Amino acid sequence: MAEQEALIMKDAGKHLEVGYFYDRRGLTGDSRFLAETAKAYNARGAVSHLNEFRELTECLPRELARTVIDHPRGWGGMAAKERQAEQAKKLNAAGADVYLNMRYNFFADKQASRALEELALVRSILGSGAEIKAVVCLPRVWSGASEELGRLMLALPGAGVSAICPDFPDYIPFPEILDCLDYVRGFVDRMNLPLQVKIAQRVSARSAPMFVGRGADILGVSPVCISGVYSALVGLP
């Protein structure tokens, strides 16, 4: 863990992805400011909705521009993911965070298989060069679904997914987010999976060092609070 933390502290921006929807207040803004913020902090990328993506790519190199598919809860299933992936392909997106609905039907049979089918569809449309991250929308009592979550994580690399991002209801207590991060990080390390771990909720100057210290590789952060997060990670006053 010490080596990982030292790496992040050396170049904090490379572990940040900037997006307006990472702010719980529902803030919106122009894509130009989002792009300039990503460049100013040397972020690994900026993430926007599809309807704002074309403007983002006019201000930011393609390899840094990413979008979301079936945001915010993954309720659209195969039809929505196919439609939005086709749109992302036309816009030449370098990658996408794909939202998977496991919040209300997590214990249903073949739930992980259904999620993998959706990811495979998106991968087939975007192509092998796109960066695909799986955003797994978990139920309130996520610990009861940990076995199914583990089965999904085992299959993600084979589906061409490079990172997993657990997603929770807004009202979940913060300590439970940390507990889930511990479980996901521990599972990935124990099984030696080639997956990065992303956290994109409750990221602030106060919480970012905790997330990093517990093994988060990527933080989704609002452009409104990125200055404080960046400073906290590199140890600036």
Side-chain angles (χ1 to χ4, degrees):
M1 186 65 67
E3 289 184 7
Q4 181 184 36
E5 190 167 348
L7 174 64
I8 291 177
M9 297 307 168
K10 182 178 179 181
D11 192 357
K14 286 298 184 181
H15 298 265
L16 302 179
E17 290 186 337
V18 193
Y20 282 106
F21 43 79
Y22 294 139
D23 194 299
R24 297 178 68 196
R25 294 168 292 179
L27 298 177
T28 59
D30 65 82
S31 297
R32 184 173 298 278
F33 178 70
L34 186 64
E36 292 303 320
T37 301
K39 289 187 285 188
Y41 288 92
N42 197 29
R44 77 186 305 274
V47 189
S48 76
H49 291 290
L50 282 166
N51 60 356
E52 303 163 344
F53 190 76
R54 187 183 300 277
E55 183 180 354
L56 178 65
T57 58
E58 293 173 353
C59 311
L60 195 67
R62 174 194 173 274
E63 62 270 18
L64 299 179
R66 297 169 177 83
T67 190
V68 288
I69 290 178
D70 212 0
H71 178 271
R73 295 292 177 253
W75 290 337
M78 295 286 280
K81 289 179 174 66
E82 181 176 19
R83 183 178 65 253
Q84 293 177 27
E86 291 284 4
Q87 187 178 354
K89 177 68 173 180
K90 292 178 181 177
L91 293 170
N92 205 25
D97 286 17
V98 183
Y99 284 70
L100 306 171
N101 177 24
M102 292 189 161
R103 183 152 294 164
Y104 300 109
N105 299 309
F106 203 91
F107 299 102
D109 291 342
K110 301 182 179 179
Q111 183 65 54
S113 297
R114 188 177 303 113
L116 290 169
E117 289 173 3
E118 294 176 354
L119 288 167
L121 175 64
V122 173
R123 165 60 69 197
S124 69
I125 294 171
L126 293 185
S128 60
E131 180 188 57
I132 304 295
K133 297 192 290 295
V135 183
V136 184
C137 301
L138 294 169
R140 165 64 178 82
V141 187
W142 72 268
S143 58
S146 58
E147 184 176 343
E148 189 75 358
L149 178 59
R151 284 197 292 271
L152 177 63
M153 284 192 283
L154 284 173
L156 287 180
V161 174
S162 63
I164 181 169
C165 177
D167 185 86
F168 309 92
D170 289 338
Y171 53 80
I172 193 170
F174 183 74
E176 294 192 32
I177 296 178
L178 293 177
D179 288 345
C180 186
L181 172 58
D182 289 343
Y183 171 77
V184 171
R185 179 77 264 170
F187 190 94
V188 167
D189 291 346
R190 187 168 63 255
M191 304 306 296
N192 196 29
L193 299 176
L195 288 173
Q196 291 187 301
V197 180
K198 178 177 177 177
I199 293 292
Q201 286 176 287
R202 316 272 186 94
V203 178
S204 65
R206 182 178 180 182
S207 67
M210 285 187 277
F211 288 141
V212 166
R214 294 173 98 124
D217 302 296
I218 305 169
L219 299 180
V221 60
S222 164
V224 176
C225 67
I226 190 173
S227 175
V229 169
Y230 185 92
S231 295
L233 292 181
V234 299
L236 297 176

